[in-house]
Amino acid sequence: MSSDLEDSYLLALDEGTTSARAILFNRKSEISGLGQHSFPQIYPRPGWVEHNPEEIWKAQVMAVKDSLKNSHVEPNRVLAIGVTNQRETVVIWDKSTGKPVHNAIVWQCRRTADIVEDLKADYGDLFKAKTGLVPDSYFSGPKVKWLLDNVPGLRDRAFRGEILFGTIDSFLIWKLTGGKTHVIDYSNASRTMMFNIHKMNWDEELLEVLGIPEGILPEPKPSSYIYGYTDSEIFGASVPIAGDIGDQQAALFGQAAFEEGMVKCTYGTGSFLLMNTGSKPYKSERLLTTIAWGIENKVTYALEGSIFITGAAIQWLREALEIIKDASETEILASSVKSSEGVYFVPAFVGLGAPYWDQYARGLIIGLTRGTGKAHLAKATLEAIAYLTRDVLENMKEDTCIRVTELRVDGGASKNDLLMQIQADILGLKIIRPLILETTSLGAAYLAGLAIGFWKNLSDLTSMWKIERIFEPKMDDAERERLYKIWGEAVKRSLGWARILKEAGFE
Ligand code: ADP
């Protein structure tokens, strides 16, 4: 191998929900440099979440500059960029000035609950059949509709072709290319509730239902593809942008889960399970059928279960209850008790996602006695994360009849050894934690590397991927089933609570 290739890097831009990161990978897919900048979360009303797209852009550029500076890599040694992003979040900007017309509406934002109720009632089956998605506030389409309905004059401007819509990847690529390229990859497009996942195009009928003109939408492309080149003013080099993929699909790719039936779970703010289902888009009642990635002419599908709140429940213990100072303390605290002694915590702070899909569910802690302490609550929180994961996995197994033999894990909370052991116990499955937990960035880098021939094929990638630790299940089957059954009862009691509040006149 030439020394030139030795000194070559791929840069992943990982634009997450709370921060933008940039990670440089060398040819062996080891991390060579990292930059990270947070951006503010904006909560205009309860349940509403926004980001300022300009802040995201600034954070992303600073992260890239830091990653290069920290690793002493010259920008011209970066052979390609892969972008991965928080999915579903919507930006609309002015085509000529590039200025966003409104803050980005974030995936977690529930402002479109009423729009979604109507869509679900009138067109639920149509959306499900064409997009693989259960209509929910989570997805981009209703957010775009809300903006067109609520920002004065915006729908007219949309029909006049003066504005552009994008998920954050589209927006970043548009900015990176100096406004030249307006694209989205199939995986991100499949989260918009506007994309036909069987025909691989924007769906006219659904756009009509939503009142969105096709002219504002980005061009759908494979996930590994040279979309354009960075404006050299930005980082000091013109670099091909060659990968684009939603964060969860990126993690599946970064876990080298290339075979049908492989499953990963990312434990972050929320948890996201994806199962590679190969070339088949399995239908599911309670899970989402989604596009994992497109490479050349081949599309790989996935079944997905999104759990809205998991790591955020740990955050809540820290920030709201102040029973821990750091998320990792849950491990020591929860280990100090043998069991949660019948305490169950359903962290349905913003409703429940898969497999329940109840936007009116609210959090509950049940089973409290005079003897309950913070250690029980910490343990119940870790267990809740594990139960929610099992809820999704049970559905995956049922829908596909594919035998699952292991779960690959990543994300911030996967560093918690106790959580991983509890997860192995509750699932009765091997949990595999890889050496590089930055699987999202790794996936984006892999895709960019494939597009430019830095790596040749998927087997090249599989041979680079390394395991750090395996957690084997230790709990006996009867105990596992007993605990899981009670969990179902706790969940039942959390469903529909906000509807009761609403009917009683609460905002
Ligand atoms: P995101 O990408 O969604 O912002 P991360 O992957 O960075 O999330 O993970 C952060 C989340 O993981 C936080 O919600 C935090 O509470 C949780 N977390 C981080 N470390 C631990 C730990 N050691 N134990 C349990 N939870 C953790």
Side-chain angles (χ1 to χ4, degrees):
M1 187 193 307
S2 76
S3 64
D4 229 27
L5 269 179
E6 284 294 340
D7 183 33
S8 300
Y9 303 88
L10 288 172
L11 177 62
L13 309 194
D14 176 2
E15 192 291 313
T17 306
T18 54
S19 70
R21 303 180 337 137
I23 301 188
L24 278 165
F25 291 93
N26 66 16
R27 192 164 163 90
K28 288 186 236 154
S29 83
E30 296 157 341
I31 294 178
S32 302
L34 192 144
Q36 176 163 9
H37 282 267
S38 300
F39 48 81
Q41 305 293 308
I42 304 163
Y43 303 109
R45 290 192 204 178
W48 291 30
V49 192
E50 297 180 357
H51 292 154
N52 178 343
E54 303 278 19
E55 302 268 6
I56 292 183
W57 169 243
K58 258 196 291 179
Q60 190 64 75
V61 171
M62 284 193 295
V64 170
K65 290 187 174 164
D66 284 358
S67 72
L68 294 167
K69 202 164 97 194
N70 298 343
S71 54
H72 308 288
V73 168
E74 291 299 323
N76 63 9
R77 297 315 311 152
V78 177
L79 298 192
I81 289 176
V83 177
T84 176
N85 56 293
Q86 52 164 320
R87 306 170 303 169
E88 299 101 9
T89 297
V90 162
V91 192
I92 293 186
W93 65 96
D94 185 297
K95 199 174 182 172
S96 51
T97 65
K99 289 248 172 312
V101 303
H102 191 276
N103 275 338
I105 303 186
V106 177
W107 59 275
Q108 296 152 319
C109 185
R110 311 305 291 172
R111 80 184 61 193
T112 56
D114 290 341
I115 295 179
V116 167
E117 284 275 283
D118 291 346
L119 290 174
K120 213 169 167 173
D122 298 339
Y123 304 102
D125 293 343
L126 187 73
F127 277 101
K128 181 83 190 173
K130 291 185 170 203
T131 68
L133 308 175
V134 181
D136 191 88
S137 296
Y138 182 21
F139 305 114
S140 317
K143 298 181 200 290
V144 177
K145 178 174 164 52
W146 188 93
L147 285 168
L148 297 188
D149 288 348
N150 288 279
V151 176
L154 199 60
R155 179 160 277 118
D156 289 341
R157 292 179 66 198
F159 279 93
R160 285 201 301 269
E162 294 170 10
I163 55 165
L164 298 175
F165 149 77
T167 39
I168 302 283
D169 56 316
S170 299
F171 178 67
L172 289 180
I173 294 174
W174 193 83
K175 295 283 271 184
L176 287 167
T177 57
K180 287 203 180 79
T181 306
H182 186 216
V183 292
I184 186 169
D185 92 300
Y186 299 146
S187 70
N188 275 297
S190 75
R191 317 296 300 179
T192 59
M193 256 173 74
M194 300 186 265
F195 192 72
N196 188 313
I197 61 166
H198 311 287
K199 296 186 176 158
M200 309 301 288
N201 58 17
W202 298 118
D203 192 278
E204 250 176 63
E205 191 182 2
L206 299 181
L207 291 177
E208 181 86 31
V209 167
L210 292 163
I212 298 170
E214 188 166 349
I216 69 169
L217 306 181
E219 191 182 342
K221 293 279 186 197
S223 320
S224 179
Y225 182 87
I226 299 177
Y227 312 98
Y229 293 80
T230 57
D231 183 335
S232 52
E233 298 279 299
I234 304 170
F235 310 126
S238 178
V239 181
I241 303 161
D244 176 13
I245 184 163
D247 55 6
Q248 299 310 323
Q249 287 93 333
L252 187 68
F253 202 79
Q255 286 276 16
F258 306 135
E259 306 285 325
E260 188 187 286
M262 292 176 100
V263 190
K264 72 90 198 178
C265 181
T266 300
Y267 300 83
T269 306
S271 281
F272 297 86
L273 279 101
L274 267 79
M275 173 192 261
N276 181 329
T277 65
S279 56
K280 186 163 169 189
Y282 280 89
K283 287 201 181 67
S284 169
E285 267 294 301
R286 308 193 144 263
L287 302 176
L288 307 175
T289 310
T290 202
I291 294 173
W293 47 77
I295 300 177
E296 293 172 345
N297 296 326
K298 195 167 159 246
V299 172
T300 297
Y301 291 90
L303 266 189
E304 169 171 331
S306 332
I307 307 166
F308 298 144
I309 302 285
T310 54
I314 308 255
Q315 234 167 317
W316 181 74
L317 298 182
R318 179 168 61 87
E319 288 169 6
L321 300 192
E322 300 180 17
I323 63 171
I324 44 167
K325 288 205 184 64
D326 184 271
S328 61
E329 261 180 53
T330 46
E331 196 161 343
I332 308 155
L333 187 58
S335 305
S336 69
V337 286
K338 253 200 166 137
S339 95
S340 45
E341 291 176 11
V343 175
Y344 279 75
F345 174 19
V346 184
F349 296 157
V350 294
L352 283 174
Y356 303 101
W357 298 106
D358 180 358
Q359 52 184 326
Y360 295 106
R362 285 298 177 271
L364 67 72
I365 300 168
I366 199 162
L368 300 177
T369 66
R370 190 66 182 82
T372 304
K374 57 186 184 178
H376 299 101
L377 189 53
K379 189 140 204 168
T381 310
L382 298 180
E383 286 169 348
I385 298 174
Y387 292 134
L388 286 161
T389 307
R390 175 154 173 193
D391 289 340
V392 172
L393 209 70
E394 290 295 325
N395 276 268
M396 284 178 168
K397 290 195 281 190
E398 252 169 60
D399 290 335
T400 61
C401 296
I402 295 175
R403 210 172 85 86
V404 175
T405 54
E406 60 180 45
L407 178 70
R408 297 190 172 189
V409 299
D410 52 60
S414 73
K415 283 181 261 178
N416 188 315
D417 290 347
L418 178 63
L419 172 62
M420 294 300 101
Q421 187 55 51
I422 293 174
Q423 187 69 84
D425 289 341
I426 297 297
L427 290 176
L429 275 185
K430 246 192 321 201
I431 303 294
I432 299 192
R433 191 166 65 189
L435 202 55
I436 296 185
L437 278 181
E438 305 292 351
T439 52
T440 307
S441 293
L442 187 59
Y446 278 167
L447 286 159
L450 283 177
I452 60 157
F454 195 56
W455 294 303
K456 278 197 230 44
N457 49 39
L458 298 184
S459 348
D460 267 7
L461 304 180
T462 302
S463 58
M464 285 188 295
W465 186 83
K466 301 266 170 342
I467 294 174
E468 181 252 332
R469 184 163 168 189
I470 298 178
F471 296 85
E472 298 279 355
K474 291 184 185 146
M475 188 180 275
D476 70 61
D477 290 353
E479 177 70 352
R480 166 181 314 129
E481 296 316 314
R482 189 176 70 93
L483 294 175
Y484 184 58
K485 198 160 169 229
I486 308 171
W487 165 254
E489 293 297 324
V491 170
K492 255 191 235 165
R493 287 159 174 79
S494 76
L495 299 176
W497 186 254
R499 203 187 289 279
I500 295 174
L501 295 180
K502 202 174 170 188
E503 279 161 14
F506 273 79
E507 263 285 287

